[in-house]
Amino acid sequence: EWIELSTWDARVRRLAAPSPFTDSIRLILIDQSSLDWADDSLKLSWPWPREAYAPILAFCRRGGARAVVFDMIYSEPSVHGVADDEVFGAGIAAMQPFVGTVWLDHTKGNTNNWPETVPRPTMQSGKRTEEWPDWTADLAMQSASFPIPHVATQATLLATVNASPDPDAIVRRIAPFHVFDATIVPSLGLAAWLAYNTNAALVIKPDSLWIGPASQTVPMPAATATPQVAATAAFEPERVAVPNFVGSQSTDVVKAAELLGIRLTFKDR
């Protein structure tokens, strides 16, 4: 295995063809500069009050964003009180489609069942769990940590952020979905696309994964491949190049929401 891992990166650098630059993906980063600015200018220490995200959501909505994805779970109520969560939830409800996150695990989590108050993703395999092909078995999780109701019930979709590192602690592949309580939970990137394309379908077949109304098949390796590799083949760099994207600091977005002279374009992103 160590030979495979030691040569993987070199093969990817040599064989993967980077995709053309695209500004269709915009990242709003909460980095150290963001934390320093919020502390100095707004006297906000980390973690920020969740109402601080409402202006960011409103800015994305006014800018015409196709969908907004938050890579934070919010599994505990805000330390600033329920009113803080209510403002955040109202901001999510106003910015649709919105993708939130849920953490899935084999053993660790706060529930073993999908909460009745949280809508399940609508894209399903059309088959009972026991009828799913063998290559999906390793993707089934028994425990989950869901976000608070103000987030979970307002989100268009909840996505998994699970990523298993290799023995050298490097994450080289991400599964397009996991399964929890007989429910398909898409990965963060796939969920963003599914949330905007409301008529999209996700169909599990014995040797392939079909995504989209046009039934574009995503080939899987031979049946002898391990389930993890089989389920993630479509996202390996040799097969699908990761697009370049435009990033913005969260401070830029907050300032833009306050100062009309600053413009950041999010239309159709």
Side-chain angles (χ1 to χ4, degrees):
E1 185 177 21
W2 69 268
I3 297 178
E4 166 68 14
L5 295 178
S6 63
T7 61
W8 173 276
D9 296 335
R11 287 184 283 123
V12 168
R13 284 192 295 268
R14 182 176 181 84
L15 300 176
S19 65
F21 173 84
T22 177
D23 65 351
S24 295
I25 302 173
R26 296 294 178 95
L27 292 186
I28 301 175
L29 306 174
I30 299 180
D31 54 10
Q32 189 59 50
S33 296
S34 302
L35 300 178
D36 293 342
W37 178 83
D39 190 24
D40 295 339
S41 302
L42 303 177
K43 306 305 179 185
L44 293 180
S45 58
W46 185 261
W48 293 347
R50 290 171 184 171
E51 64 178 330
Y53 302 113
I56 297 177
L57 288 166
F59 184 82
C60 293
R61 183 185 72 251
R62 292 195 300 268
R66 289 185 177 182
V68 172
V69 180
F70 266 46
D71 190 7
M72 296 182 182
I73 297 180
Y74 304 106
S75 60
E76 301 293 334
S78 171
V79 297
H80 299 279
V82 65
D84 191 35
D85 287 328
E86 290 175 344
V87 172
F88 185 32
I92 294 174
M95 175 61 245
Q96 295 291 321
F98 174 91
V99 176
T101 55
V102 58
W103 176 258
L104 304 178
D105 195 87
H106 289 292
T107 58
K108 298 178 181 178
N110 53 31
T111 184
N112 300 115
N113 303 103
W114 195 280
E116 293 183 0
T117 58
V118 179
R120 295 178 186 246
T122 56
M123 73 296 297
Q124 297 302 317
S125 69
K127 297 181 178 181
R128 297 191 303 272
T129 306
E130 59 268 22
E131 296 178 342
W132 292 0
D134 293 341
W135 61 263
T136 65
D138 195 50
L139 301 178
M141 300 292 175
Q142 290 72 46
S143 298
S145 294
F146 280 79
I148 60 172
H150 299 86
V151 176
T153 59
Q154 299 294 347
T156 309
L157 278 177
L158 291 179
T160 174
V161 290
N162 294 66
S164 300
D166 289 325
D168 58 359
I170 297 176
V171 176
R172 292 183 171 86
R173 49 182 71 81
I174 298 176
F177 69 91
H178 283 81
V179 179
F180 174 71
D181 193 17
T183 300
I184 296 174
V185 186
S187 65
L188 206 61
L190 178 57
W193 184 84
L194 290 170
Y196 175 72
N197 294 276
T198 55
N199 64 335
L202 189 154
V203 181
I204 298 174
K205 295 190 175 183
D207 60 351
S208 61
L209 175 66
W210 293 60
I211 302 174
S215 297
Q216 295 177 339
T217 184
V218 179
M220 297 296 172
T224 54
T226 63
Q228 177 69 2
V229 172
T232 60
F235 290 82
E236 293 177 6
E238 289 106 333
R239 296 173 180 261
V240 177
V242 177
N244 295 307
F245 47 79
V246 176
S248 304
Q249 291 181 339
S250 60
T251 52
D252 294 332
V253 177
V254 174
K255 292 175 185 176
E258 297 175 345
L259 305 175
L260 296 179
I262 299 178
R263 302 290 183 183
L264 292 178
T265 302
F266 285 84
K267 183 173 176 56
D268 294 333
R269 270 62 173 182

